[in-house]
Amino acid sequence: MLLLSGVFAIRRVPNPSLLILGLLLAGSVAGCDREKALGGQAAQGQANVSAGQAQGVGAFEYMIDRSHKGEAAPTARFAGPDDAPVTLADFRGRPLLVNLWATWCAPCVAEMPTLDALAAARGETMNVIAVAQDLQGAEVVDPWFQKAGLKALQPYIDPENGLLDAVNSALPTSIYYDADGREIWRVIGAIDWQGEEAKALLAEGGV
């Protein structure tokens, strides 16, 4: 488990970038039974990683990771708002921002209104989806959406954590893919999607 500013985030397999995130943001890493010594791997990945703090909607902490640039979107299946199976390939043709989150994750919930505002404002030029990693699936995600009053985002669910496993990351993680389904960057942690840095990141993909 990775400790991000007092909030535990899922980490299923060891990842050098996540160790860097823990050091930059939290200053400490909680033990994980599958964690292993990373040695020089962490230093090697640091060149493609930067940390920041967004102001305006709380104090969001995040890391921008470009070490996966060019990688194809994972093929893991998850469920759409109509319970139909879907993959990230179904969104090709326009840039796609995928947010992996959970209802129990405080940073995830904190950034959700700003992500919803982004989806509402950019819906004609890009796809924005939030895929919940709650193991209980729709049982907890649908009631959360009903109470949250979001205007643009829909309740996608991934109770098997297929996407989270495929991208080898923590919660929250947002990954930006180009129209061909190739990763441009990912943000690990919560960011204000209405802030200036988020706008600059999205501009890298021409949005």
Side-chain angles (χ1 to χ4, degrees):
M1 301 289 280
L2 181 67
L3 183 61
L4 299 183
S5 300
V7 178
F8 283 99
I10 288 178
R11 186 183 68 181
R12 293 181 170 270
V13 290
N15 184 324
S17 297
L18 295 184
L19 177 58
I20 296 167
L21 175 63
L23 295 174
L24 292 174
L25 303 185
S28 63
V29 177
C32 176
D33 59 359
R34 283 193 276 181
E35 191 167 3
K36 63 182 178 182
L38 299 174
Q41 295 179 13
Q44 183 178 1
Q46 195 165 5
N48 294 318
V49 172
S50 60
Q53 186 174 50
Q55 304 295 331
V57 186
F60 292 160
E61 292 181 325
Y62 55 88
M63 178 182 71
I64 301 166
D65 182 359
R66 294 183 173 85
S67 65
H68 301 274
K69 185 174 182 178
E71 292 182 6
T75 58
R77 289 189 177 186
F78 52 100
D82 57 357
D83 290 330
V86 63
T87 69
L88 297 183
D90 295 320
F91 297 92
R92 286 182 186 170
R94 293 200 298 179
L96 169 66
L97 180 65
V98 181
N99 177 266
L100 303 181
W101 73 291
T103 61
W104 50 263
C105 167
C108 303
V109 172
E111 75 172 338
M112 198 61 68
T114 73
L115 186 69
D116 185 60
L118 174 68
R122 305 283 189 101
E124 294 185 359
T125 57
M126 64 181 293
N127 295 308
V128 180
I129 62 172
V131 186
Q133 301 298 297
D134 294 81
L135 301 181
Q136 301 93 332
E139 179 182 346
V140 295
V141 176
D142 286 352
W144 187 92
F145 263 84
Q146 292 171 5
K147 293 180 181 179
L150 303 181
K151 298 179 180 179
L153 293 175
Q154 298 295 317
Y156 290 85
I157 59 173
D158 180 21
E160 300 297 325
N161 290 172
L163 285 176
L164 190 63
D165 284 344
V167 301
N168 187 18
S169 194
L171 295 180
T173 289
S174 299
I175 305 178
Y176 190 48
Y177 296 99
D178 65 20
D180 296 321
R182 297 286 176 177
E183 182 170 336
I184 298 178
W185 45 254
R186 64 179 63 183
V187 174
I188 305 171
I191 187 173
D192 177 5
W193 290 104
Q194 299 302 294
E196 292 304 315
E197 181 155 20
K199 292 177 183 178
L201 285 171
L202 293 169
E204 292 182 22
V207 177

